[in-house]
Amino acid sequence: MARPLVECVPNFSEGRNLEIIEAVADAIRKTSGVKLLDVDAGTSTNRTVYTFVGPPDAVVEAVISAAAVAKSKIDMTKHKGEHPRLGAMDVCPIIPVRDVTVEDCIACANKIASALATQLSIPIYLYGSAASLDYRRTVPQIRAGEYEGLKDKITTQQWKPDYGPAAWVPEWGATMVGVRNFLIAYNVNLLATKEQAHRIALNVRESGRGPNAPGRLQAVQGLGWWLDEANMAQVSLNLLDYKITPIHIAYEEVCKDAKELNIGVIGSEIVGLIPLDSILEAAEFYIKKDNLFVLEEDQKVTLVLSRLGLKDFDPKKRIIEYCLEDSNSDNSLIKLTAEKFVLSVGARTAAPGGGSVSAYVAALGAGLCTMVGLLTYGKKQWESLDSITRKIIPLFHKKMMELLLIVDADTNAFNDYMKALKLPKTTEKEVEIYESEIEKGLLRAINVPLNLAETINSSWPIMKNLAAISNIQTASDLQVGAKCLETGVLGAHYNVMINLKLLKNENIKEKLTNKTKDHVIVAEKRCREVLDVIRTRI
């Protein structure tokens, strides 16, 4: 099973001294259980953003270790930089990544805050979902007045820290620890003045120029600044919720204002990491906008890097899902080589079994359909069909990816059922829980192959259309693909039926029996139709 993971992105007020930057990074790196994904230092901002992931307890330990190093090496009385700041470790957000809740992250934030206050005697404010007071919910609210204004602010009752001394600690300032959704720190580069960049930031950020003059983009913070080392200005944006304002929309809006001011846009940059789905959403935007045909994930990523001018962006190091890819630590079947998958099926274990194999075979069938479409599209002799194949190919490619996911889903459902079988049943209450969990486990084990059959059967109309127009040299590939899909449905049916025998609820049993039999009838009929279409063309 996958480990629970949280992401932590502490921002330290030091971006120039490489020795200090590396010392903080090393403290994180040496913490057992965490993986340091990125270190992003800025000289003009005099700030370094560290990104790492790990189980909650390991993340707490890493933050405390990094803060202890910063306490001994950073002196805020000497700090100057373009970026607003409150303390040596300015902000420390905790973000849920996998198998953790927001409540888990809040508990993690409180552990960090308590430990920092106790061990390092520094003031801590909680923000975001961990905030104790509404007027302290956002970073700008707490950071108002910045480090210089904290001296008087911290001694008031209104701004008493959540943890630590309500006293001025000049060499440190104060730290904000919070819980938030994934934030994208995004900068657009301009050949402009600092003032022009800031004017654009005011136009697009949600708060705009104040309550009576809001900006255009929701869930966006922003300001404009000048980078001496790059001899350019930037519109620096925090996308607080990229589901509300995606990265490509932020870029397009800045470009729109820059064009009106006759300002040159020379690309953009992402600070830290970014979720894969935000990149793929941007890809779909530009594919639709320019009527492109781009199918593969890596090509979509390349398209976005080009459109947004992300010149120094390494997807393997900056897209969080790619950073977390390792040597199949989660035992995912679809990440195994073909040889290892077959050997795992042939091992003396009940899983992976027929359900996973059925999904795998069906995925191969959808893959063959995708291949046939691609070998038809873009060829001069089939050019008149391009508009049709451009619609068909993505549908089969999507089916292929959906079917691959079911390979693991089937084995996971079986493993969950086996866990339920091991529950204690010595007392009446335990027996009641045992029987309930067994029934739930069986239903999960039944629903996965049912979903497989439904996914496959929704493919037949598309496949029939493809069979009628595809490159005739690929006829045998399509025939094999059709039989693979039919086999997938038959395999799903067999798995449903064997589990239905153990189900106690007779009404559900009858309903699901009829449903799976119907799926087989549909698959056999539709497969024959596809094969008949191909035969008439050979």
Side-chain angles (χ1 to χ4, degrees):
M1 295 295 289
R3 292 184 308 161
L5 285 181
V6 297
E7 181 188 38
C8 186
V9 193
N11 290 216
F12 287 84
S13 296
E14 177 54 69
R16 298 166 186 169
N17 189 314
L18 295 179
E19 181 184 343
I20 296 175
I21 293 168
E22 179 55 28
V24 173
D26 201 43
I28 297 168
R29 218 179 269 121
K30 287 181 177 178
T31 305
S32 177
V34 304
K35 182 176 182 180
L36 181 61
L37 301 176
D38 189 57
V39 179
D40 197 306
T43 53
S44 290
T45 57
N46 201 9
R47 184 181 185 88
T48 300
V49 180
Y50 299 82
T51 304
F52 59 95
V53 295
D57 288 343
V59 165
V60 171
E61 184 182 344
V63 172
I64 295 166
S65 298
V69 171
K71 184 81 159 37
S72 67
K73 294 181 179 295
I74 297 176
D75 184 353
M76 286 301 293
T77 64
K78 300 174 183 177
H79 183 271
K80 297 291 181 185
E82 284 285 333
H83 201 289
R85 74 278 187 269
L86 193 68
M89 183 169 76
D90 188 49
V91 293
C92 180
I94 306 297
I95 303 109
V97 174
R98 184 175 68 198
D99 292 339
V100 290
T101 63
V102 170
E103 288 69 27
D104 294 331
C105 291
I106 292 171
C108 187
N110 277 277
K111 285 181 183 178
I112 290 170
S114 177
L116 293 177
T118 303
Q119 298 178 30
L120 302 180
S121 298
I122 54 179
I124 307 292
Y125 292 100
L126 296 174
Y127 76 96
S129 298
S132 60
L133 298 162
D134 281 343
Y135 65 86
R136 298 183 184 184
R137 191 156 292 278
T138 69
V139 166
Q141 286 173 324
I142 300 171
R143 199 194 270 148
E146 294 191 44
Y147 166 80
E148 289 78 8
L150 185 63
K151 182 177 180 180
D152 296 324
K153 181 178 177 178
I154 199 168
T155 59
T156 66
Q157 182 60 36
Q158 185 182 10
W159 288 101
K160 180 182 178 182
D162 292 288
Y163 290 87
W168 174 233
V169 183
E171 68 277 7
W172 183 271
T175 291
M176 297 168 280
V177 179
V179 176
R180 61 165 171 78
N181 292 323
F182 204 102
L183 177 149
I184 298 176
Y186 182 56
N187 302 325
V188 182
N189 303 325
L190 305 175
L191 295 177
T193 65
K194 173 182 175 179
E195 291 73 20
Q196 287 173 318
H198 192 58
R199 190 190 314 175
I200 294 175
L202 293 174
N203 291 343
V204 299
R205 71 184 189 186
E206 183 173 19
S207 61
R209 291 171 171 78
N212 297 321
R216 300 196 299 272
L217 300 180
Q218 293 184 331
V220 173
Q221 298 170 337
L223 50 82
W225 58 36
W226 178 258
L227 297 181
D228 278 327
E229 70 270 22
N231 192 29
M232 67 180 184
Q234 279 186 334
V235 174
S236 180
L237 304 174
N238 280 341
L239 309 184
L240 304 179
D241 189 335
Y242 68 90
K243 301 290 187 181
I244 295 175
T245 296
I247 188 170
H248 56 279
I249 296 299
Y251 179 75
E252 292 292 325
E253 288 298 309
V254 170
C255 289
K256 175 183 172 184
D257 282 18
K259 185 176 181 180
E260 290 177 0
L261 294 172
N262 296 317
I263 290 171
V265 178
I266 51 172
S268 63
E269 68 171 352
I270 292 164
V271 181
L273 278 77
I274 188 168
L276 176 61
D277 65 341
S278 65
I279 293 288
L280 296 181
E281 184 182 357
E284 295 305 325
F285 172 83
Y286 289 111
I287 288 169
K288 184 176 181 181
K289 179 183 177 184
D290 298 331
N291 193 29
L292 305 175
F293 182 70
V294 185
L295 191 63
E296 300 299 329
E297 184 174 287
D298 63 336
Q299 291 184 342
K300 291 181 179 181
V301 171
T302 300
L303 174 67
V304 174
L305 301 193
S306 172
R307 289 291 192 269
L308 300 183
L310 292 164
K311 297 175 184 175
D312 300 320
F313 186 92
D314 183 346
K316 295 298 180 185
K317 295 179 180 178
R318 308 298 291 281
I319 294 176
I320 190 166
E321 287 84 353
Y322 295 170
C323 291
L324 292 175
E325 286 180 353
D326 49 30
S327 57
N328 200 21
S329 61
D330 295 339
N331 299 314
S332 172
L333 294 171
I334 61 173
K335 292 180 182 178
L336 295 174
T337 64
E339 179 186 16
K340 287 184 178 178
F341 179 79
V342 171
L343 290 174
S344 68
V345 171
R348 195 176 180 181
T349 56
S356 290
V357 170
S358 298
Y360 199 92
V361 169
L364 289 173
L368 283 168
C369 295
T370 306
M371 182 195 80
V372 168
L374 288 170
L375 291 176
T376 306
Y377 172 75
K379 292 185 177 292
K380 191 165 183 63
Q381 67 192 104
W382 311 102
E383 195 172 15
S384 62
L385 301 171
D386 278 1
S387 61
I388 300 173
T389 52
R390 277 176 66 140
K391 293 176 183 177
I392 291 175
I393 295 167
L395 295 174
F396 267 116
H397 188 270
K398 183 180 179 183
K399 291 289 181 190
M400 177 176 69
M401 302 309 294
E402 289 174 353
L403 292 167
L404 278 174
L405 293 177
I406 299 176
V407 175
D408 277 311
D410 186 86
T411 295
N412 291 338
F414 175 80
N415 289 336
D416 288 344
Y417 173 67
M418 294 304 292
K419 284 181 183 178
L421 286 174
K422 296 175 183 178
L423 288 172
K425 42 186 183 294
T426 54
T427 68
E428 198 172 301
K429 182 65 175 176
E430 285 178 347
V431 170
E432 183 182 336
I433 294 172
Y434 169 83
E435 290 179 349
S436 174
E437 289 302 311
I438 287 293
E439 200 80 351
K440 289 178 185 176
L442 281 170
L443 284 172
R444 281 194 293 269
I446 290 167
N447 283 328
V448 170
L450 276 177
N451 179 42
L452 171 62
E454 288 170 3
T455 302
I456 295 170
N457 277 343
S458 65
S459 306
W460 295 114
I462 316 166
M463 194 176 190
K464 191 174 180 180
N465 290 338
L466 181 61
I469 64 165
S470 61
N471 180 344
I472 199 61
Q473 300 303 317
T474 63
S476 63
D477 301 299
L478 205 54
Q479 288 169 321
V480 173
K483 295 305 287 186
C484 283
L485 291 174
E486 182 189 37
T487 299
V489 174
L490 290 172
H493 168 71
Y494 298 142
N495 273 271
V496 170
M497 292 304 295
I498 198 166
N499 286 314
L500 278 176
K501 291 180 179 179
L502 303 172
L503 206 61
K504 290 185 176 181
N505 189 313
E506 292 298 328
N507 290 331
I508 295 178
K509 187 183 292 189
E510 182 181 359
K511 180 181 176 182
L512 295 180
T513 298
N514 292 334
K515 192 172 185 179
T516 186
K517 287 181 178 179
D518 287 344
H519 281 314
V520 172
I521 293 169
V522 169
E524 291 175 341
K525 179 183 178 183
R526 297 305 182 193
C527 182
R528 282 195 303 272
E529 290 175 355
V530 169
L531 295 176
D532 286 344
V533 170
I534 297 171
R535 273 193 291 271
T536 62
R537 297 184 62 211
I538 296 176

